[in-house]
Amino acid sequence: MKRQAYEPILITDAPRSQDDQLSSRQRRYVVMMSIRAVCLVGGAVLVGVQAPLLWLWLPLCGVGMVLIPWLAVLIANDRPPKEEHRMFRRPSRREAPPPRSLAGAEERPHRVIDAEL
């Protein structure tokens, strides 16, 4: 088998650590749920003070309270895909060499027949 040429790994190509990814997703989730809480409190305040254009502000707050939690969960659970082969790289089907065939007599196994037995 032919060994592939050594390819150096650049630090800029390295993926972020799992701890960094998790903390980033947690921060985004907390920020989005805080926005939801602001929508809830804002809607309650608008109703309490009977703000002008209440018919416009309440549906916006309602959409924020319903849509943001769903998006927050989707974003918090999103992570980059794992690599198929972490330890070594296997050739794909397109890169795999064609199967070997017995083309010549030199490749065939030789059989020794003992006629004198």
Side-chain angles (χ1 to χ4, degrees):
M1 284 177 69
K2 223 185 223 187
R3 293 193 104 198
Q4 293 184 354
Y6 173 74
E7 295 179 24
I9 299 173
L10 301 175
I11 192 64
T12 56
D13 294 339
R16 292 175 51 197
S17 72
Q18 289 184 356
D19 292 335
D20 288 343
Q21 291 176 15
L22 179 63
S23 64
S24 170
R25 293 194 320 254
Q26 286 173 340
R27 278 191 304 265
R28 281 186 286 184
Y29 181 81
V30 168
V31 167
M32 291 182 81
M33 293 308 279
S34 299
I35 293 171
R36 178 186 185 225
V38 168
C39 285
L40 178 66
V41 171
V45 168
L46 288 173
V47 168
V49 296
Q50 297 177 352
L53 299 173
L54 190 60
W55 58 271
L56 175 68
W57 294 111
L58 280 182
L60 288 176
C61 289
V63 167
M65 287 185 294
V66 171
L67 190 62
I68 287 178
W70 178 68
L71 290 173
V73 169
L74 285 179
I75 290 172
N77 289 328
D78 186 32
R79 64 170 181 76
K82 292 182 181 178
E83 293 180 18
E84 288 182 27
H85 310 289
R86 292 185 179 183
M87 300 302 282
F88 57 92
R89 184 176 171 268
R90 292 182 188 165
S92 67
R93 291 182 185 234
R94 283 182 249 146
E95 296 175 2
R100 294 182 55 186
S101 62
L102 299 175
E106 66 275 353
E107 291 182 7
R108 293 187 182 148
H110 296 287
R111 216 175 193 183
V112 177
I113 301 176
D114 228 355
E116 295 183 28
L117 286 174

